[in-house]
Amino acid sequence: MTGPRPVLVLQHAPHEGPGLIGRAIDAPLRVRTVLDLADPVLPALDEVAGVVVMGGPMDADDVRAHPGLAAERALLAAAVDADVPVLGVCLGMQLLGLALGARLLRRHGSEVGFAPVELLADDPVLGALGAQPTVLHWHDDAVELPPGATLLASTAATPVQAFRAGSALGLQFHAEVDAPLLGLWLDTPAMVGRLDEDEVEAIRADGAARLPALAPAAEKLFAGFGELVRARG
């Protein structure tokens, strides 16, 4: 293979792209959607420099409706075993947790909007956000801490907001969202269908107030992941 190996990005909805992740990791991206394929062909781990798994509205264990989720989980388990850098976001973190032996907690508690998260342990990548950053939450499901993983962040509603398992970092919250991506989400009926107009406008206002400071810290976070990717190269 000539040139740097790409980062595989698994996407589950057209509006839930990598956002700041793609800008910050400074590596070519290979975006795939395998959600509804019964037997998807995914690249071999020696063909990629890292794996990023994005969010989506489906339950992480719903392989009957979305059979491709099983292949994603198998890939994530193999990537951690092979020490390949992995980043899982929201649904992606839940898939990572399931791949590592944790249990999905459906409808554990809804968190939608900007709110603080408490960082509980030092991590060379996640630490870029600071000790108690205000971040964007958008989920109903949660996942337990996988066996042997380190709990990195928590909220009262969702005890496992981030974890580290070897080469893998899971984030339940959405640090990847910048102003254009947030605008897209707030204009997408599938994202805001259960929110009333006041809730949507409150998130829009919070984004305008929070993202100018949050986005640079998030870019630093994802640049730290990018350093691991480039080291694998």
Side-chain angles (χ1 to χ4, degrees):
M1 178 179 291
T2 60
R5 287 182 285 190
V7 172
L8 175 65
V9 179
L10 295 174
Q11 194 166 315
H12 306 97
H15 50 273
E16 294 209 43
L20 293 173
I21 299 169
R23 288 217 308 263
I25 63 175
D26 191 26
L29 303 183
R30 183 175 177 183
V31 180
R32 293 283 307 279
T33 302
V34 302
L35 190 63
D36 297 324
L37 301 178
D39 189 21
V41 177
L42 289 166
L45 289 173
D46 61 4
E47 297 176 5
V48 300
V51 178
V52 175
V53 187
M54 300 308 305
M58 58 288 305
D59 294 317
D61 60 356
D62 190 4
V63 295
R64 176 171 294 184
H66 305 291
L69 293 175
E72 293 189 33
R73 285 163 53 179
L75 180 74
L76 288 168
V80 174
D81 283 345
D83 204 32
V84 175
V86 171
L87 177 64
V89 177
C90 199
L91 172 66
M93 186 186 96
Q94 295 163 14
L95 289 165
L96 175 63
L98 289 174
L100 299 176
R103 185 168 61 101
L104 183 70
L105 306 173
R106 287 193 181 192
R107 315 301 175 261
H108 182 266
S110 179
E111 288 183 294
V112 179
F114 286 86
V117 63
E118 183 180 2
L119 270 60
L120 303 174
D122 292 333
D123 183 81
V125 176
L126 184 60
L129 288 184
Q132 195 173 29
T134 295
V135 295
L136 179 62
H137 305 266
W138 209 301
H139 71 99
D140 295 307
D141 293 351
V143 74
E144 294 177 336
L145 185 68
T150 300
L151 180 63
L152 298 179
S154 182
T155 60
T158 306
V160 181
Q161 281 280 357
F163 66 78
R164 164 72 63 186
S167 62
L169 174 64
L171 306 176
Q172 182 60 60
F173 52 87
H174 290 279
E176 81 280 7
V177 172
D178 58 8
L181 187 54
L182 179 61
L184 174 62
W185 285 15
L186 295 178
D187 291 335
T188 299
M191 292 293 291
V192 299
R194 291 183 297 164
L195 304 178
D196 61 36
E197 186 175 342
D198 287 345
E199 290 172 316
V200 171
E201 291 312 310
I203 294 171
R204 197 183 307 275
D206 284 346
R210 299 286 186 179
L211 288 175
L214 178 61
E219 286 194 31
K220 186 177 179 182
L221 183 167
F222 297 128
F225 177 74
E227 291 177 9
L228 302 177
V229 165
R230 286 191 298 277
R232 177 172 166 80

